[in-house]
Amino acid sequence: MSDLSDLSGGTAGKAPRNRLDLEPDTVEKDLVKLVLTVVELLRQLMERQALRRFDTGDLTEDQEERIGLTLMLLDDRMAELRERYGLRPEDLNLDLGPLGPLLPRE
């Protein structure tokens, strides 16, 4: 059974894992980190779906341009928000333990 030291992000002698600390003074940053992680996961899924649709020729040129522009703007906005909260792209890749990282490494 795990003890409370697991909630602090690590145990004595071990490197802390990529977890949310949930400390009162960092709760805003932790919440932003969690939200941005979910948004990044959705962004990557949308990007993969768009690439599949580009490859199959399902889209008009106008649709391709709009999707590309939307994904670029979303990526820019994500970068701005990460910078505002002092987060790196790898900070959004939560460790799911035995399942590995949440997001694929790019």
Side-chain angles (χ1 to χ4, degrees):
M1 181 170 192
S2 66
D3 60 22
L4 292 178
S5 64
D6 290 339
L7 297 175
S8 68
T11 57
K14 290 186 179 179
R17 292 170 57 172
N18 192 8
R19 295 184 181 196
L20 299 176
D21 287 333
L22 299 179
E23 296 294 327
D25 55 337
T26 63
V27 74
E28 180 182 8
K29 183 176 179 180
D30 291 338
L31 180 58
V32 167
K33 180 179 174 181
L34 181 60
V35 169
L36 290 180
T37 297
V38 171
V39 171
E40 178 61 18
L41 177 62
L42 293 173
R43 186 196 68 76
Q44 288 184 18
L45 292 172
M46 289 178 1
E47 188 174 84
R48 284 191 202 104
Q49 180 64 27
L51 289 174
R52 277 194 288 276
R53 291 186 70 193
F54 291 158
D55 290 343
T56 60
D58 290 346
L59 302 171
T60 66
E61 284 186 34
D62 185 49
Q63 289 172 321
E64 287 179 4
E65 189 167 324
R66 282 195 342 247
I67 289 171
L69 180 59
T70 300
L71 290 172
M72 284 178 18
L73 291 172
L74 180 56
D75 190 51
D76 289 346
R77 186 66 175 131
M78 288 289 292
E80 290 172 16
L81 289 168
R82 281 193 316 267
E83 186 176 323
R84 177 185 297 171
Y85 288 94
L87 297 168
R88 300 165 301 169
E90 57 269 18
D91 293 333
L92 303 183
N93 200 358
L94 298 178
D95 180 359
L96 300 177
L99 297 175
L102 175 66
L103 303 170
R105 292 185 183 9
E106 295 186 63

